[in-house]
Amino acid sequence: MTPPPHALVIPYPAQGHVIPLLELAHALVDRGFTVTFVNSEFNHHRVLAATTDTTKNGSAGLLDRIRLVAVPDGMEPGEDRNNLVRLTLLMAEHMAPRVEDLISRSHAGTEGADGGPITCMVADYNLGTWALDVARRTRIKSAAVWPASAAVLASLLSIPKLIQDNIIDSKDGSALTEDTFKLSPDMPIMRAAHLAWNCIGDHQGQEALFRYLIGGIRAVEKCDFILCNSFLGAEEATFAQFPKVIPIGPLLTGERRGKAVGHFWRPEDEACISWLNAQPTRSVVYVAFGSFTMFDTRQFQELALGLELCGRPFLWVVRPDLVHGDVHDYPQGFLDRVSASGRGMVVAWSPQQQVLAHPAVACFVSHCGWNSTMEGVRNRVPFLAWPYFADQFVNQVYICDVWKVGLRAQADESGVITKEYIATRVEELMSGASMRDRVEAMKKVALESLKEGGSSHDNFDMFVQAMKA
């Protein structure tokens, strides 16, 4: 009997990448594949710890037909893995040989080669050249997955032209102009300072990272597919300009109850859902800033006071690392007032898909990460768009200027988004009927693309058949 096709799926080692790539792995299993899912050792253990439906076997877990495997990322145990430049440059050296050995052992049928020979690789585009080079050396089919907006991928693929047009520096990609530009007449307006590689912090490795990104352009030209977690109706002009990029989204992250979804924190114990059940329809402000966003104390306190000032029920996700274990980072008496009034709830993490799908939720104060953006859109929730880094500034342009399903959070002259401003913007979102109509229409287009006969559904089926052949 011929074994099923066996896909090796490798995300970039960050939560916003692990979540959609693990959903893609589940979708491959739904279509008859066996999957080996490779995380860095650090993230592998975090995913297992946050998963209740996973059995452990040494350094690997097994979930349905997804085998969870760990490889080292090259960083020391105590190092800061939010230093994305260092992480990106190290993993090519340390992860590549382990992945190649994994494929070779699967072909040889040696110990640890569960699931039969690996027949194809589905690698996060952000891994750069090394993963796709391994696929070529081991002679398996390959696909690069871009888990964010097509417009941001288009900016990466356009680096040579951006250099030629004197928009960015050829050495490190830094901005050479403050003027706006478009990659094509119908694509969103961009700023060089807001291109993803210019928004990841002040790291000494910027020049090396930029060279790494240029190498990634060459690598994807040789893979069989470039898949994108977006949908045609969201970015039609971009897909028309870059026809090799194939939309297969929005991937339905967070909707597989009881299965591994790639979170790094233990999911909330459903207490926030019970709290939402007691709130009126379209009354709650949901506030969540993803896995990377950090605030200074003043901005953190202004946000807390702004939620109080708006007078609306709110559900606020505050990661433990945001408050450093010190409740005094909150405004004085804030937590006591929230607890006494019952009007707000603060949690360490939330089942975000369930929250956004809840009828009580009226708006989403968001960092504009692409997973959160897609989850908000497919649950018809308008945004207060508050980007932090990387691709989130381009996503804000989509939310506020292209789709018109959200409002910008804008800082004052001192660089702070004030409590008064937050309360005013939330009230605008709550009362904006036309914005709700637009996001409802976007939800319909997004979900239609995933149905049989929809563009994303048919694109994914085409990809699956090619990987099986």
Side-chain angles (χ1 to χ4, degrees):
M1 182 176 176
T2 303
H6 186 172
L8 182 70
V9 180
I10 317 174
Y12 182 85
Q15 179 174 267
H17 297 251
V18 173
I19 289 173
L21 268 291
L22 190 50
E23 169 54 32
L24 192 150
H26 281 297
L28 288 172
V29 168
D30 291 343
R31 287 161 172 80
F33 281 71
T34 294
V35 173
T36 294
F37 193 88
V38 177
N39 263 319
S40 66
E41 288 176 344
F42 182 79
N43 289 341
H44 173 80
H45 295 302
R46 297 179 79 184
V47 169
L48 288 184
T51 302
T52 57
D53 187 32
T54 302
T55 60
K56 299 179 181 178
N57 178 20
S59 63
L62 185 65
L63 180 73
D64 295 337
R65 286 165 61 181
I66 299 177
R67 177 184 173 223
L68 304 174
V69 173
V71 297
D73 59 17
M75 298 190 83
E76 298 298 325
E79 280 196 82
D80 178 13
R81 282 170 170 81
N82 288 344
N83 185 339
L84 297 182
V85 173
R86 177 165 167 75
L87 176 60
T88 298
L89 297 176
L90 276 175
M91 65 186 179
E93 176 185 351
H94 292 269
M95 294 179 75
R98 302 299 183 93
V99 169
E100 187 161 355
D101 181 61
L102 191 66
I103 297 170
S104 298
R105 284 189 287 111
S106 81
H107 290 170
T110 56
E111 183 180 355
D114 300 353
I118 291 169
T119 56
C120 62
M121 178 189 289
V122 181
D124 196 315
Y125 176 100
N126 295 276
L127 295 173
T129 62
W130 68 263
L132 297 173
D133 286 344
V134 167
R136 284 194 292 276
R137 285 198 298 271
T138 54
R139 298 182 180 181
I140 61 175
K141 295 176 182 178
S142 63
V145 181
W146 180 256
S149 75
V152 175
L153 176 57
S155 71
L156 285 167
L157 298 176
S158 300
I159 284 174
K161 187 174 189 310
L162 294 174
I163 293 172
Q164 179 183 325
D165 293 345
N166 292 316
I167 293 171
I168 60 172
D169 185 86
S170 61
K171 186 177 181 180
D172 62 4
S174 57
L176 295 178
T177 176
E178 295 181 4
D179 294 339
T180 60
F181 66 92
K182 290 185 175 185
L183 296 175
S184 79
D186 296 321
M187 284 182 63
I189 292 172
M190 294 185 176
R191 292 182 180 276
H194 284 169
L195 292 168
W197 57 87
N198 288 326
C199 298
I200 57 172
D202 184 18
H203 296 294
Q204 293 181 347
Q206 174 78 18
E207 184 178 336
L209 176 65
F210 189 63
R211 289 198 302 269
Y212 188 88
L213 294 175
I214 292 173
I217 299 171
R218 295 192 295 268
V220 297
E221 289 172 352
K222 299 178 181 178
C223 69
D224 297 295
F225 290 92
I226 307 173
L227 308 177
C228 181
N229 181 23
S230 186
F231 58 102
L232 188 61
E235 303 188 79
E236 193 163 1
T238 304
F239 289 117
Q241 186 73 13
F242 295 84
K244 290 184 179 180
V245 181
I246 301 170
I248 60 165
L251 293 168
L252 298 180
T253 52
E255 293 195 0
R256 294 181 185 267
R257 302 292 302 279
K259 292 187 177 181
V261 294
H263 288 295
F264 291 175
W265 283 272
R266 291 185 183 276
E268 178 62 26
D269 61 358
E270 309 296 322
C272 61
I273 301 300
S274 299
W275 181 84
L276 285 172
N277 290 341
Q279 308 306 317
T281 299
R282 291 189 183 274
S283 66
V284 173
V285 182
Y286 176 56
V287 187
F289 288 90
S291 57
F292 271 99
T293 303
M294 298 296 292
F295 294 110
D296 61 29
T297 297
R298 182 183 174 193
Q299 185 60 82
F300 185 80
Q301 294 190 352
E302 286 292 314
L303 174 55
L305 295 172
L307 294 175
E308 271 196 293
L309 186 61
C310 75
R312 302 280 187 169
F314 64 87
L315 174 62
W316 185 14
V317 178
V318 181
R319 300 190 321 268
D321 59 315
L322 276 178
V323 291
H324 312 292
D326 182 359
V327 296
H328 297 297
D329 276 355
Y330 291 97
Q332 186 174 4
F334 172 79
L335 291 178
D336 291 337
R337 294 193 299 273
V338 168
S339 177
S341 68
R343 190 174 57 77
M345 186 174 191
V346 178
V347 297
W349 199 246
S350 77
Q352 182 161 286
Q353 165 57 33
Q354 287 179 264
V355 169
L356 289 170
H358 199 284
V361 172
C363 67
F364 185 9
V365 181
S366 173
H367 65 308
C368 307
W370 191 249
N371 290 330
S372 292
T373 299
M374 289 292 94
E375 288 173 355
V377 162
R378 72 174 196 256
N379 286 294
R380 59 87 182 100
V381 180
F383 299 82
L384 180 56
W386 190 331
Y388 174 67
F389 83 143
D391 63 321
Q392 296 161 13
F393 294 92
V394 173
N395 301 342
Q396 183 194 53
V397 172
Y398 267 128
I399 289 168
C400 300
D401 302 335
V402 179
W403 306 330
K404 294 180 170 40
V405 296
L407 300 174
R408 274 180 169 77
Q410 294 182 320
D412 64 12
E413 299 81 4
S414 67
V416 171
I417 300 172
T418 66
K419 57 184 179 292
E420 294 85 1
Y421 183 91
I422 292 165
T424 299
R425 284 305 228 184
V426 165
E427 196 57 40
E428 286 182 63
L429 284 173
M430 291 291 203
S431 57
S434 60
M435 188 173 293
R436 287 200 299 271
D437 290 344
R438 286 191 294 271
V439 75
E440 186 73 48
M442 275 210 73
K443 171 189 173 181
K444 182 177 180 181
V445 173
L447 296 183
E448 286 291 332
S449 73
L450 297 173
K451 293 180 180 177
E452 189 169 353
S455 55
S456 290
H457 179 281
D458 290 355
N459 286 340
F460 193 73
D461 275 355
M462 176 270 295
F463 158 71
V464 162
Q465 292 309 313
M467 291 294 103
K468 287 181 175 180

